[in-house]
Amino acid sequence: MNTITDTNFNFPNQKSVYKGKVREVYNINNDLLVMVATDRLSAFDVVMPKGIPYKGQILNQIATKMMKATEDLVPNWLLATPDPNVAVGHLCAPFKVEMVIRGYLSGHAAREYKAGKRMLCGVAMPEGMKENDKFPNPIITPATKAEMGDHDEDISREDILKRGIVSEADYLVLEDYTRKLFQRGSEIAASRGLILVDTKYEFGKTKEGKIVLIDEIHTPDSSRYFYADGYQERQDRWEAQKQLSKEFVRQWLIANNFQGLKGQTVPEMTDDYITTVSDRYIELYENITGETFVKADVSNIQSRIEQNVLGYLKA
C-alpha cells in the first residue's frame, strides 16, 4: 500500500518545517506555506502506526473545495493546490485555539453529557437531551491547540481572554467567522442530503494583520456528518445515527480498548482493516462533495509532490 506518512523535502528558500499530527508545513522565505496532507491517521490525539491510502488527497481536496465555497464569507489563506496532497498559501501566525462548534449533542459533548456534565467550555447544555439531539442553537466550545503527542484541552471563552491567548477584539471575529462558516457548511451539507453535526475551524493572522481561515475545513477529520434521511426516525427509536466522519475509527479503537490513555496500546491495524478505512474515506469524499473520487498516481508519491511543488514555486 503506497502511502505518504513522512516527508523531508528541502525546497528553495525553505526556512523551517512544522510537523503536525497529519499535515507537514514548509515555510518558504517567511512568505508562503506549503502544506502537505499526509496519509497519517490521528485519533484521540494519537497518530496511528500505519497510513491510510489516499487519505491525504481526500482531506486536501475536500478542504480546497470548501474554502472556495466559503471565501465570499470568510477570507482564507489558500493560494493554490499544485498537487493532490498539497495546498500553498500565505504565511500566517496561527491562533493557539481551535474553534469547535456543535449543532448536535454528539461525540465528545455526548460523552461529557453522559458523565453528568451540563457545562462544556463554559457553555450550558440543556437538561433532558439524548445523544445526537439537536441543540436549540449551535454552541461554540473552543479547545487549546496541542503539540503532537499532547491532547487538545477544552477551554472557555472567559479563560481564553483571561489568559491572553486571544485578544477580545480578535476573539469576537473568530466567533463571528465560526458561526458564518458553520451556517454555510450546514447549507452545503443539506444540499448533499447530510447534516453537519459539529466541526472545528482554525484561524491565523497574515503579516498584514488580517484574520483568515487556515488548515482544513469541513473534512471528515475535522467534522462529523449524519445522513439526513431517517435522522429523526433513528432518534425517535433511540438508534445510533448513520454518520460520515472518522468516528468509526474511534469506535473501533474504543472496542479494542484504546482511547489514547496512559498505558494503552494501539491495536494492530491489519491490511484488510486499513483498506476498509480507505474505502470509507473515499465514501466520505463522494458524499460530502457530490463528486466521484479520482485516485492520484501513488507509484512514487514523494517524487510527485516534490516535482509539483518545485514547478509551482519556480512559476
Side-chain angles (χ1 to χ4, degrees), residues 2 5 9 33 60 63 67 71 94 102 110 114 118 132 150 166 172 180 220 227 238 242 256-257 279 286 299 310-311:
N2 285 340
T5 55
F9 298 124
L33 293 181
N60 189 54
M67 287 210 174
E71 63 189 1
R102 305 176 184 277
K114 212 172 275 185
R118 294 297 179 268
N132 300 329
D150 293 332
V166 181
L172 291 173
K180 284 176 175 171
Y227 287 96
W238 293 71
K242 284 180 66 184
N256 284 276
N257 304 309
D279 289 344
E286 295 186 340
S299 54
L310 286 172

Side-chain angles (χ1 to χ4, degrees), residues 124-136:
M125 297 185 287
E127 288 289 347
M129 295 184 74
K130 65 174 182 282
E131 187 169 0
N132 300 329
D133 275 353
K134 187 176 184 178
F135 285 119

Side-chain angles (χ1 to χ4, degrees), residues 104-106 130-134 195 197 224-245 247 251 280:
Y104 294 75
L105 180 66
S106 300
K130 65 174 182 282
E131 187 169 0
N132 300 329
D133 275 353
K134 187 176 184 178
I195 295 169
V197 177
R224 192 187 321 269
Y225 293 89
F226 291 156
Y227 287 96
D229 186 34
Y231 163 79
Q232 195 55 55
E233 291 85 346
R234 285 186 286 275
Q235 282 303 96
D236 293 343
R237 293 195 297 263
W238 293 71
E239 292 177 2
Q241 288 296 331
K242 284 180 66 184
Q243 62 172 289
L244 286 170
S245 73
E247 183 67 19
Q251 293 302 327
R280 284 291 292 274

Side-chain angles (χ1 to χ4, degrees), residues 59-76:
L59 294 192
N60 189 54
Q61 292 186 334
I62 292 175
T64 298
K65 289 175 189 299
M66 292 295 179
M67 287 210 174
K68 287 178 178 168
T70 57
E71 63 189 1
D72 60 314
L73 282 180
V74 173
N76 64 60

Side-chain angles (χ1 to χ4, degrees), residues 288-308:
I288 291 168
T289 66
E291 299 173 7
T292 301
F293 179 66
V294 179
K295 295 178 178 179
D297 178 6
V298 294
S299 54
N300 193 331
I301 309 174
Q302 297 266 1
S303 175
R304 188 201 75 204
I305 289 174
E306 185 171 36
Q307 293 309 309
N308 284 336

